[in-house]
Amino acid sequence: MDGYTSKIYAAAAGAALYFGASKYVEDSKVRLLVGPSDEHKELKKLLNQCPSLSENSRLVPTPYLCSGMLQTVYGTQIALRKDRASNIKYVRESKVMSDGGTVSLDWYPEQPSDDVTSIAIVVPGLGGSAYEYHIRCVVRRMYESIKDMRIVVCNHRGSGRTPLTSPRLYNAYDTSDLTDVLNELSTKFPHARLVCIGFSLGANLITRYLGDHGHSARLSAAVAVSCPYDTEVAGRALSAPGLLNDWLFQPNLMATVKRLLRRNIDVIKSSPLNYDIDAIMKASRMSEIDDLVTARTYGHKDCWAYYRAASSVEYVEKIRKPFLAINAEDDPVTPISGVPKDKFANNPCTALALVKHGGHIGFFTGVMSPKIWYLDPVAEFVSAVLE
């Protein structure tokens, strides 16, 4: 190959690399879906104070996490990571519910005084708790971004080392525990404005709570990250066969759920429903657990009937408080087909931020040490609301 030909090949390779990189960056634009009418102007004022959601904002995903499943699996693999962004220590408070069940409230940096002016309530997803990396990062960012704010993570029954004191587990649609916690906080701290940040199943609960309560909701605003909305669509996606799903994501999720069940096996066995413990422990898919446990607990025919009942799609249009949703178009757990984009566009209180790549509660950007992108829009949106 002569020198001239080598230069031609090098130029072609450079052009291809440039085109590919340009397309990669172009695809990383954040798309904000909010209605065009005058009714949306108050929400738009809040969004205008969010630089990470501006017209030119981008989420350029970590190059080696270029698919939704890779983003998702990476997030599960670093759940216990400790670094400056996540280095916090909680103060725990336990709360016994009316049926004898227990949820735990992990406060940071401490439990608030009576005159606290703002509290952020963080609601984890399925199998999640205050100790997951992304939860700790959100808690720390909120504390650093908003003066004198106190943050509390509401751990579900049996999660985050919360003792299971009732055979009734949590699910994707029963908002009674969340409602009780919000009512108690608003009564105990009457001067505080409350905001909620939910992830996946926790985001679904927040969406349903806000839709149920409308103007009377105890919250000033909420953010939902990777909310499934149509939980039947999400259930089918979660059950779909696939290399990374079969060998990495599902085993991680099932290990977390089964650890919760084993830790509280005596309480579960005490249920009059006589759960098939052997079948539960042999389950390899979340849909099997939901068939054997969740559906039976809440009186559904099977897991698919439960998923249909848990949908929050019809609640989006009933939300009457500022609400920011963040979803990725390549989310393998909560597919974009289950996100009701039309309802977001028609509700003057709701905005939907969509990114091309981010997976499920991933949204990692950067190369050497990937950072969580949504920390910025969450903090900016909540700060704008509380100003």
Side-chain angles (χ1 to χ4, degrees):
M1 184 183 296
D2 58 33
Y4 179 75
T5 305
S6 297
K7 289 178 181 178
I8 293 294
Y9 278 116
L17 183 62
Y18 175 79
F19 177 80
S22 298
K23 186 71 168 63
Y24 191 67
V25 172
E26 182 66 22
D27 281 348
S28 69
K29 278 189 174 182
V30 178
R31 187 155 59 96
L32 190 61
L33 187 62
V34 59
S37 72
D38 288 342
E39 290 182 321
H40 296 77
K41 63 182 179 181
E42 293 302 319
L43 182 63
K44 288 179 179 178
K45 285 180 182 178
L46 298 176
L47 296 171
N48 286 339
Q49 299 177 61
C50 303
S52 61
L53 297 177
S54 67
E55 185 177 352
N56 297 317
S57 60
R58 286 177 167 81
L59 190 180
V60 180
T62 299
Y64 49 87
L65 302 176
C66 55
S67 77
M69 185 55 80
L70 286 173
Q71 287 264 346
T72 304
V73 170
Y74 181 78
T76 65
Q77 296 299 307
I78 65 166
L80 300 180
R81 174 191 283 180
K82 293 182 180 180
D83 55 21
R84 185 193 173 281
S86 64
N87 184 22
I88 61 176
K89 185 176 181 181
Y90 295 110
V91 175
R92 173 157 289 194
E93 173 188 2
S94 293
K95 176 174 171 55
V96 179
M97 315 309 288
S98 58
D99 71 331
T102 302
V103 299
S104 57
L105 305 179
D106 284 334
W107 290 95
Y108 182 78
E110 59 194 3
Q111 288 180 280
S113 58
D114 293 343
D115 59 352
V116 64
T117 57
S118 61
I119 298 174
I121 302 97
V122 182
V123 188
L126 176 64
S129 75
Y131 300 101
E132 290 183 293
Y133 179 71
H134 68 278
I135 298 287
R136 287 180 280 120
C137 286
V138 165
V139 169
R140 177 149 186 155
R141 172 60 71 85
M142 296 302 296
Y143 178 71
E144 292 177 343
S145 299
I146 301 173
K147 184 180 179 182
D148 298 327
M149 170 170 266
R150 294 295 178 264
I151 304 94
V152 62
V153 183
C154 184
N155 296 288
H156 305 291
R157 299 169 180 232
S159 298
R161 299 268 178 190
T162 304
L164 191 64
T165 54
S166 163
R168 185 168 74 87
L169 299 171
Y170 65 95
N171 68 20
Y173 70 80
D174 184 356
T175 61
S176 58
D177 286 351
L178 176 62
T179 301
D180 286 351
V181 168
L182 293 177
N183 287 344
E184 181 174 300
L185 291 177
S186 63
T187 301
K188 190 174 181 180
F189 306 106
H191 304 294
R193 298 181 68 186
L194 308 181
V195 296
C196 249
I197 305 159
F199 295 88
S200 193
L201 178 146
N204 202 66
L205 292 173
I206 291 171
T207 304
R208 291 177 65 100
Y209 168 82
L210 285 170
D212 263 337
H213 291 80
H215 290 291
S216 65
R218 302 280 187 164
L219 298 173
S220 294
V223 182
V225 179
S226 295
C227 181
Y229 300 105
D230 190 328
T231 38
E232 184 177 8
V233 169
R236 295 195 184 282
L238 196 57
S239 299
L243 182 63
L244 292 176
N245 191 27
D246 292 343
W247 290 94
L248 287 173
F249 184 72
Q250 283 288 339
N252 272 329
L253 176 61
M254 295 305 293
T256 299
V257 173
K258 288 182 181 180
R259 187 162 56 246
L260 181 159
L261 296 172
R262 287 193 190 97
R263 193 177 290 146
N264 300 283
I265 197 68
D266 291 338
V267 177
I268 294 170
K269 285 181 177 179
S270 71
S271 170
L273 293 174
N274 296 318
Y275 297 115
D276 188 339
I277 303 298
D278 289 339
I280 292 170
M281 291 306 170
K282 291 177 182 177
S284 60
R285 280 282 196 273
M286 195 60 222
S287 57
E288 296 173 48
I289 295 287
D290 284 330
D291 245 340
L292 294 164
V293 181
T294 316
R296 290 195 63 204
T297 302
Y298 289 89
H300 299 289
K301 176 184 176 183
D302 54 25
C303 67
W304 305 110
Y306 157 57
Y307 296 150
R308 285 190 290 274
S311 171
S312 61
V313 168
E314 301 304 322
Y315 291 76
V316 173
E317 63 190 12
K318 302 173 186 176
I319 293 173
R320 296 296 178 265
K321 298 297 177 75
F323 183 86
L324 172 64
I326 300 174
N327 285 80
E329 294 181 10
D330 65 353
D331 190 328
V333 179
T334 59
I336 192 64
S337 59
V339 179
K341 291 182 279 188
D342 58 330
K343 294 185 183 298
F344 276 98
N346 292 325
N347 186 338
C349 297
T350 62
L352 172 62
L354 289 174
V355 297
K356 193 80 171 178
H357 305 290
H360 190 68
I361 321 181
F363 302 86
F364 292 102
T365 185
V367 179
M368 299 304 294
S369 181
K371 302 294 190 297
I372 300 174
W373 168 80
Y374 59 72
L375 297 179
D376 289 333
V378 169
E380 291 164 2
F381 184 74
V382 172
S383 296
V385 168
L386 296 179
E387 274 190 356

